[in-house]
């Protein structure tokens, strides 16, 4: 990972899918979650919700497999984006991404993926529970370690 | 519903294969493989690789002599050319298909564009030249060109497997056994295609009768290829099933999941069992060529089902996050005493 990335906390997510809605409205003008760049994976019966989106990989596999170079790294803004004017809709990036981040826009007939709304991700802005956050990639590990330490110390307190 | 009849956590786990590459890609892979395989077998036959060749039948076409026996052997590139538009059919933006060759440095789809184009071009030149001109003693350069076209045919047959293998995060595709399986399938379906075309050629021009010796030798070779292909398929599936997270889901989907009818009916029965039985019957009753035609039709359909089944069973590796959540679900179910 590089630059700033979207980080999710599945324990805070309520599965309201507002992130999908605002994403589709921002990018397409339509309130259509199927065209959203962020997807909430649900384990409905268990009440688990996990918003998934582009992880902005350091060596993005989607870029490697793209036959037209439509999917490329924007080094200036440190993100991976798909140029929809170059995309032929072969769906190779969708099949190749381990995180299932790119998806196929059935209206525009091209692959789409999160571009962090040019540095102001709408999903982060509108998420009421703060389950979706936009943080520096080098802070991701720190916050996770802090979260783990807090939980561990709480567990120790309970056992005493 | 009583508690006892509730599905267990394991059965609740949903196996979701990829749905992006579907029948269009299966047809593309199949026709590319079969066309390349038939060209390899046909060119070997033309080189008298099996000690035999078809009787010649020259026709005058617009004042130019045309040798039809070569068309019966070397039609492979035409089939690949027919299959390539199916890839275009699958594209979201079909008119931009020509840009699919812009990134050959890392993309196998782009490399495939060059491999297939090269094979179609070289194969059509070989087919055209041999059909329109008899070369009893071909020059060395021409022989070299034939060898290059043969290598391109091998590359095309193997490429169909490499394209899927290049998608690293679908474990059932990510194995060197897949290109080997597709190569064997290309050769078996290709040899069957050549058998059928030579039989059709013999029946269309009955002056010399059916080229029985050529057909029986090709049939023998095709049987060996089918057996090796079956062994590779079994090894491939067993190795993937044993690898647990590395393909177990896909194999389960094929042998006992939603794709079981396609696997047992289309791949195993239509692609392997029926052709073997029918070919055995034909070897005892060669006076019924319909048996061999039926064998051919089933074997060719089986080759398509093989690609369709393997495409449809492509399940991605589960992310560690998903595994963690499923572990939590299992733990909570365990704590509830389920």
């Amino acid at each position: 990972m590089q630059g700033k990335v979207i980080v999710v906390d599945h324990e805070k997510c309520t599965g309201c899918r507002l992130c999908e809605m605002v994403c589709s409205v921002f990018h397409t003008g339509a309130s259509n979650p199927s065209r959203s760049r962020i997807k909430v994976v649900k384990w409905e019966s268990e009440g688990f919700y996990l918003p998934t989106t582009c992880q902005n990989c350091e060596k993005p596999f989607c870029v490697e497999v793209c036959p037209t170079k439509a999917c490329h790294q924007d080094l200036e803004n440190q993100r991976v984006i798909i140029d929809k004017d170059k995309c032929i809709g072969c769906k190779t990036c969708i099949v190749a991404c381990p995180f299932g981040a790119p998806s196929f826009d059935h209206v525009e007939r091209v692959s789409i993926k999160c571009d962090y709304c040019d540095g102001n991700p709408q999903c982060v802005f509108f998420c009421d529970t703060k389950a979706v956050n936009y943080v520096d990639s080098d802070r991701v590990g720190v916050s996770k370690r802090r979260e783990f330490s807090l939980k561990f110390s709480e567990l120790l307190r309970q056992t005493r | 519903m009583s508690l006892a009849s509730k599905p267990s956590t394991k059965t609740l786990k949903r196996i979701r294969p990829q749905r992006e590459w579907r029948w269009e890609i299966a047809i593309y892979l199949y026709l590319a493989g079969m066309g390349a395989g038939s060209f390899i077998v046909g060119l070997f036959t033309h080189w008298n690789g099996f000690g035999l060749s078809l009787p010649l039948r020259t026709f005058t076409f617009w004042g130019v002599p045309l040798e039809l026996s070569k068309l019966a052997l070397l039609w492979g590139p035409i089939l690949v050319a027919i299959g390539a538009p199916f890839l275009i059919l699958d594209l979201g933006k079909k008119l931009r298909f020509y840009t699919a060759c812009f990134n050959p440095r890392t993309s196998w789809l782009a490399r495939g564009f060059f491999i297939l184009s090269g094979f179609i071009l070289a194969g059509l030149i070989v087919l055209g030249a041999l059909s329109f001109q008899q070369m009893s003693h071909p020059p060395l350069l021409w022989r070299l060109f034939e060898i290059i076209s043969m290598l391109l045919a091998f590359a095309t047959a193997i490429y169909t497997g490499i394209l899927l293998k290049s998608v690293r995060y679908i474990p059932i595709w990510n194995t060197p056994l897949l290109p080997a399986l597709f190569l064997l399938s290309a050769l078996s379906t290709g040899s069957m295609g050549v058998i059928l075309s030579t039989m059709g050629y013999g029946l269309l021009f009955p002056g010399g009768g059916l080229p029985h010796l050529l057909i029986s030798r090709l049939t023998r070779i095709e049987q060996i290829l089918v057996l090796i292909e079956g062994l590779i398929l079994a090894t491939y599936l067993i190795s993937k099933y044993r690898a647990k997270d590395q393909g177990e889901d896909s194999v389960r989907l094929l042998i006992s999941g939603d794709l079981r009818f396609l696997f047992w009916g289309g791949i195993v029965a239509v692609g392997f069992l029926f052709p073997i039985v029918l070919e055995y019957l034909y070897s005892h009753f060669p006076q019924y060529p319909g048996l061999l035609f039926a064998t051919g039709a089933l074997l060719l359909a089986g080759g398509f089902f093989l690609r369709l089944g393997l495409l449809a069973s492509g399940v991605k590796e589960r992310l560690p996050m998903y595994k963690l959540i499923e572990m939590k679900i299992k733990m909570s179910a365990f704590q509830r005493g389920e």
Side-chain angles (χ1 to χ4, degrees):
Chain A
M1 288 190 291
Q2 52 185 339
K4 287 183 91 169
V5 291
I6 286 179
V7 176
V8 297
D9 184 347
H10 74 279
E11 288 184 355
K12 287 182 184 169
C13 182
T14 59
C16 70
R17 299 177 72 190
L18 186 65
C19 51
E20 290 184 0
M21 203 67 83
V22 293
C23 179
S24 76
V25 169
F26 181 80
H27 286 98
T28 67
S31 172
N32 181 354
S34 74
R35 299 179 72 188
S36 165
R37 275 72 173 157
I38 186 167
K39 306 278 180 204
V40 181
V41 182
K42 293 188 168 193
W43 285 260
E44 198 72 81
S45 58
E46 303 296 328
F48 276 106
Y49 308 103
L50 180 68
T52 53
T53 189
C54 178
Q55 300 294 302
N56 206 20
C57 308
E58 202 169 337
K59 285 184 181 171
F61 193 44
C62 52
V63 172
E64 206 175 296
V65 296
C66 179
T68 64
K69 294 186 180 175
C71 190
H72 61 281
Q73 269 183 309
D74 176 8
L75 293 173
E76 193 182 331
N77 297 307
Q78 295 196 319
R79 58 189 179 155
V80 179
I81 49 175
I82 295 176
D83 183 345
K84 68 178 181 184
D85 293 326
K86 285 183 183 172
C87 180
I88 56 173
C90 66
K91 294 166 262 187
T92 315
C93 53
I94 304 171
V95 180
C97 176
F99 302 100
S103 56
F104 191 69
D105 187 330
H106 289 274
V107 178
E108 293 195 73
R109 311 285 306 159
V110 291
S111 292
I112 50 171
K113 66 175 283 303
C114 176
D115 58 0
Y116 298 155
C117 302
D118 296 326
N120 184 22
Q122 298 298 295
C123 51
V124 175
F125 186 74
F126 280 94
C127 183
D128 290 331
T129 58
K130 299 294 164 211
V132 188
N133 298 291
Y134 190 49
V135 296
D136 284 321
S137 59
D138 50 2
R139 302 280 302 164
V140 176
V142 176
S143 58
K144 283 199 171 157
R145 274 195 293 275
R146 183 183 297 149
E147 199 179 315
F148 175 77
S149 314
L150 282 171
K151 278 184 184 169
F152 189 64
S153 60
E154 194 182 331
L155 197 69
L156 280 177
R157 229 185 351 261
Q158 283 173 0
T159 52
R160 272 178 197 161
Chain B
M1 197 184 347
S2 69
L3 270 177
S5 64
K6 267 189 178 175
S8 69
T9 313
K10 192 171 184 182
T11 52
L12 274 173
K13 194 179 87 177
R14 289 164 64 196
I15 301 174
R16 286 196 291 190
Q18 65 86 24
R19 287 278 175 268
E20 278 74 34
W21 286 352
R22 294 177 299 172
W23 63 268
E24 297 95 336
I25 301 294
I27 294 179
Y28 162 71
L29 297 177
Y30 171 62
L31 293 183
M34 183 188 161
S38 72
F39 186 81
I40 293 166
V41 175
L43 199 55
F44 264 124
T45 312
H46 166 68
W47 288 342
N48 286 336
F50 306 134
L52 296 157
S53 65
L54 276 177
L56 302 180
R57 299 245 186 275
T58 309
F59 280 75
T60 309
F61 186 73
W62 292 77
V64 183
L66 176 69
E67 180 46 57
L68 284 180
S69 66
K70 302 302 173 201
L71 188 65
L73 290 176
L74 303 170
W75 44 266
I78 300 172
L79 206 67
V80 182
I82 293 169
F86 280 93
L87 177 68
I88 299 171
L89 195 68
D90 184 60
L91 298 180
K93 297 281 183 187
K94 294 168 183 56
L95 295 177
R96 292 183 197 160
F97 76 93
Y98 62 91
T99 62
C101 59
F102 284 3
N103 189 20
R105 206 171 60 83
T106 55
S107 164
W108 271 101
L109 203 67
R111 288 172 192 168
F113 190 98
F114 289 106
I115 293 171
L116 260 71
S117 305
F119 170 62
I120 292 169
L121 199 67
L124 286 178
I125 290 171
V126 169
L127 172 64
L130 293 177
S131 298
F132 284 105
Q133 199 177 6
Q134 287 303 304
M135 286 188 260
S136 50
H137 297 289
L140 188 66
L141 264 178
W142 175 252
R143 195 57 100 191
L144 197 67
F145 186 76
E146 283 182 349
I147 292 168
I148 290 170
S149 67
M150 171 75 86
L151 292 176
L152 281 168
F154 268 106
T156 302
I158 296 171
Y159 157 74
T160 57
I162 292 180
L163 175 66
L164 298 192
K165 188 189 174 303
S166 69
V167 180
R168 265 179 242 153
Y169 298 103
I170 294 187
I172 195 154
W173 298 348
N174 189 14
T175 163
L177 279 175
L178 188 65
L181 178 67
F182 276 15
L183 174 64
L184 258 297
S185 174
L187 290 175
S188 66
T189 52
S191 55
M192 182 47 85
V194 173
I195 291 168
L196 291 183
S197 63
T198 49
M199 279 186 78
Y201 175 79
L203 291 173
L204 272 176
F205 308 104
L210 277 177
H212 285 295
L213 203 55
L214 174 64
I215 289 171
S216 69
R217 288 207 180 171
L218 281 177
T219 309
R220 192 74 50 81
I221 289 163
E222 181 268 328
Q223 285 167 341
I224 294 167
L225 289 169
V226 168
L227 281 177
I228 301 172
E229 186 192 342
L231 283 174
I232 292 181
L233 179 64
T235 314
Y236 168 65
L237 293 178
I238 290 168
S239 64
K240 281 292 160 193
Y241 187 73
R242 284 186 174 172
K244 294 294 169 196
D245 281 348
Q246 295 294 312
E248 187 201 4
D249 287 345
S250 299
V251 181
R252 273 177 41 210
L253 202 61
L254 276 172
I255 60 175
S256 59
D258 293 347
L259 301 172
R260 61 189 182 280
F261 295 115
L262 180 64
F263 179 74
W264 294 110
I267 300 174
V268 177
V270 172
F272 289 97
L273 293 182
F274 291 158
I276 289 170
V277 172
L278 285 175
E279 258 177 355
Y280 177 75
L281 287 176
Y282 177 72
S283 65
H284 285 79
F285 305 102
Q287 66 271 32
Y288 299 114
L291 281 173
L292 199 54
F293 274 116
T295 308
L298 290 172
L299 192 89
L300 296 187
F304 171 67
F305 290 139
L306 175 73
R307 282 145 181 97
L308 189 65
L310 290 181
L311 270 181
S313 64
V315 181
K316 276 189 190 175
E317 259 177 53
R318 272 181 305 148
L319 295 173
M321 191 63 192
Y322 286 21
K323 285 183 192 170
L324 182 72
I325 288 176
E326 273 162 18
M327 209 185 294
K328 279 184 179 177
I329 291 171
K330 272 184 192 173
M331 279 179 70
S332 60
F334 179 73
Q335 282 167 357
R336 288 198 303 268
E338 287 175 13

